[in-house]
Amino acid sequence: MYCPFCRNEDSRVVDSRLVDDGTAIRRRRLCPACHRRFTTVETTSLSVVKRSGVAEPFSRSKVISGVRKACQGRPVSEDDLNKIAQEVEESIRSKGLAEIDAHDVGLEILTPLRRLDQVAFLRFASVYQGFESLEDFEQAISDLRSQPAADELPFDGEQRPLTAR
């Protein structure tokens, strides 16, 4: 790590702390040449590979944007959208991959969206599962109806439905 003050290529780590719920490390460094301190933040990178083959950094805002379109006109709050984006990112990062296909990101969205709003789930699934006919919609609706009651309970953003009270 180059010192931002004197461009010396050596530095010593003085302190390290986890930040952003453990997804990043904040390090205080000391330059042995000019004796000035500076801070660095280290994060793991997660790239999404698009159909064209171009890779770009994972973006929660893109997940939120896509889910927001599916939820248009539905009783879904911004907080719900943020929770889904967080759950999707955590799920993808837990797989330990540096790159993930954009289509797989869409598929990861389906599980939490299904718990949140079934109509929005059908809208989103019709794109990412490639529905081509009314039979595809009928099958998806049939699958939704046959799910256990726990999947129909409200979503709390922590990868589990809320229990009945």
Side-chain angles (χ1 to χ4, degrees):
M1 174 62 61
Y2 287 102
C3 172
F5 306 107
C6 70
R7 304 296 295 159
N8 182 26
E9 62 184 57
D10 192 25
S11 65
R12 184 172 65 92
V13 175
V14 178
D15 182 42
S16 294
R17 295 182 187 185
L18 291 177
V19 292
D20 295 333
D21 299 327
T23 60
I25 297 176
R26 178 184 172 272
R27 297 194 194 276
R28 288 291 292 158
R29 296 179 175 270
L30 175 66
C31 175
C34 69
H35 303 289
R36 295 180 76 180
R37 292 178 181 233
F38 58 98
T39 302
T40 59
V41 178
E42 298 174 19
T43 60
T44 57
S45 64
L46 176 61
S47 297
V48 177
V49 180
K50 301 176 108 178
R51 275 182 262 172
S52 65
V54 174
E56 63 181 43
F58 176 84
S59 169
R60 280 190 188 184
S61 63
K62 285 193 174 188
V63 171
I64 291 169
S65 174
V67 174
R68 182 180 289 120
K69 291 173 190 169
C71 293
Q72 195 167 13
R74 303 296 303 155
V76 175
S77 70
E78 281 296 313
D79 199 35
D80 293 330
L81 297 177
N82 288 323
K83 288 175 185 175
I84 284 180
Q86 178 180 350
E87 181 177 346
V88 168
E89 182 176 2
E90 288 172 358
S91 174
I92 291 169
R93 286 191 185 276
S94 72
K95 294 179 180 185
L97 303 172
E99 289 186 341
I100 187 164
D101 187 65
H103 183 75
D104 293 337
V105 173
L107 294 176
E108 284 292 327
I109 292 169
L110 290 174
T111 301
L113 186 56
R114 182 179 197 155
R115 289 191 306 262
L116 178 65
D117 188 281
Q118 293 179 346
V119 172
F121 166 79
L122 283 173
R123 291 174 178 170
F124 200 86
S126 69
V127 173
Y128 282 94
Q129 292 180 335
F131 290 10
E132 295 180 6
S133 66
L134 289 176
E135 289 78 23
D136 292 337
F137 279 96
E138 289 169 348
Q139 181 61 49
I141 291 169
S142 175
D143 291 345
L144 279 172
R145 287 185 173 142
S146 68
Q147 290 300 309
D151 278 353
E152 296 174 11
L153 293 171
F155 173 69
D156 75 354
E158 303 216 1
Q159 298 181 325
R160 63 182 187 274
L162 291 171
T163 56
R165 295 185 180 148

